[in-house]
Amino acid sequence: QLSAMIRILTVARKRSKRPSNTGGMTWKRVDLHIHTPGSEDYAEKGVSYLDILRKAEEEGLDAIAFTDHNTVAGYAAMQREISDLERWVTSGRYQAKDKERLEEYRRLLNKIKVFPGFELTATLGFHILAIFEADAPIRVMEHVLLQLNVPPASLDMGLTEVGATAD
């Protein structure tokens, strides 16, 4: 029965990227398991966070979650880049490409909701996704990782395996 439902949803998705509004509710396209350069095994060399957002837009996604391995370093790096660009533009110490990059971030983030999170390595090698509210502070998420026994020295490394961190 589940496989029949999946086939129906797959056919419906192929017919229309945006299903129609039904009963006051709307369909949203999301991908809640996206790795970034913050994970050590990220295979796409030279891809930026802005490139990831552009790809999400190209795929018609309404929301995504950055869920790097045992870290929130990728999400934090994107936030730092945006903060730096805002500071440079506000102070008038920017190059034209900086302002264009900031405008592109703003355009995409206005269109695509980005949730921070991580993929935790648990006992017996299981991986568990943790997804937080979009405005969750980086330090809070890092604190959760520490409480789940991710070694402090590994917090920014995006290691795929850090040993069993928690049951």
Side-chain angles (χ1 to χ4, degrees), residues 50 54 100-109:
L50 198 51
R54 287 179 182 132
E100 290 169 13
R101 193 166 181 83
L102 178 60
E103 288 171 0
E104 181 73 346
Y105 264 122
R106 286 178 175 162
R107 182 186 74 77
L108 290 166
L109 291 172

Side-chain angles (χ1 to χ4, degrees), residues 22 29-30 40 55 97 99 107 111 120 147:
T22 56
R29 293 187 55 150
V30 301
E40 74 167 346
K55 181 64 174 173
K97 65 178 181 161
K99 188 172 184 181
R107 182 186 74 77
K111 190 174 187 178
L120 177 73
Q147 287 183 315

Side-chain angles (χ1 to χ4, degrees), residues 2-15 27:
L2 181 59
S3 63
M5 287 175 58
I6 292 171
R7 278 195 299 272
I8 291 168
L9 290 172
T10 302
V11 170
R13 187 175 0 160
K14 287 180 181 176
R15 288 186 186 148
W27 289 90

Side-chain angles (χ1 to χ4, degrees), residues 133-144:
E133 294 181 36
D135 60 353
I138 300 296
R139 293 292 179 227
V140 168
M141 293 179 283
E142 289 178 335
H143 182 71
V144 171

Side-chain angles (χ1 to χ4, degrees), residues 26-155:
T26 59
W27 289 90
K28 299 291 182 183
R29 293 187 55 150
V30 301
D31 186 341
L32 300 178
H33 189 185
I34 293 180
H35 293 292
T36 76
S39 285
E40 74 167 346
D41 66 340
Y42 190 72
E44 302 289 327
K45 302 297 180 206
V47 171
S48 70
Y49 298 98
L50 198 51
D51 293 332
I52 294 170
L53 294 175
R54 287 179 182 132
K55 181 64 174 173
E57 177 186 42
E58 180 184 312
E59 295 294 325
L61 296 174
D62 298 295
I64 60 175
F66 285 1
T67 52
D68 289 311
H69 294 284
N70 303 298
T71 187
V72 291
Y75 184 80
M78 181 184 74
Q79 294 299 320
R80 269 192 314 277
E81 180 181 1
I82 293 167
S83 178
D84 288 345
L85 290 167
E86 288 173 339
R87 189 174 59 254
W88 298 335
V89 168
T90 301
S91 69
R93 297 181 351 214
Y94 65 92
Q95 297 178 356
K97 65 178 181 161
D98 297 328
K99 188 172 184 181
E100 290 169 13
R101 193 166 181 83
L102 178 60
E103 288 171 0
E104 181 73 346
Y105 264 122
R106 286 178 175 162
R107 182 186 74 77
L108 290 166
L109 291 172
N110 193 38
K111 190 174 187 178
I112 302 164
K113 185 75 141 180
V114 179
F115 294 98
F118 53 80
E119 182 176 356
L120 177 73
T121 303
T123 304
L124 303 175
F126 289 101
H127 290 192
I128 301 167
L129 294 181
I131 300 170
F132 295 80
E133 294 181 36
D135 60 353
I138 300 296
R139 293 292 179 227
V140 168
M141 293 179 283
E142 289 178 335
H143 182 71
V144 171
L145 283 163
L146 291 170
Q147 287 183 315
L148 292 169
N149 300 320
V150 172
S154 300
L155 278 183

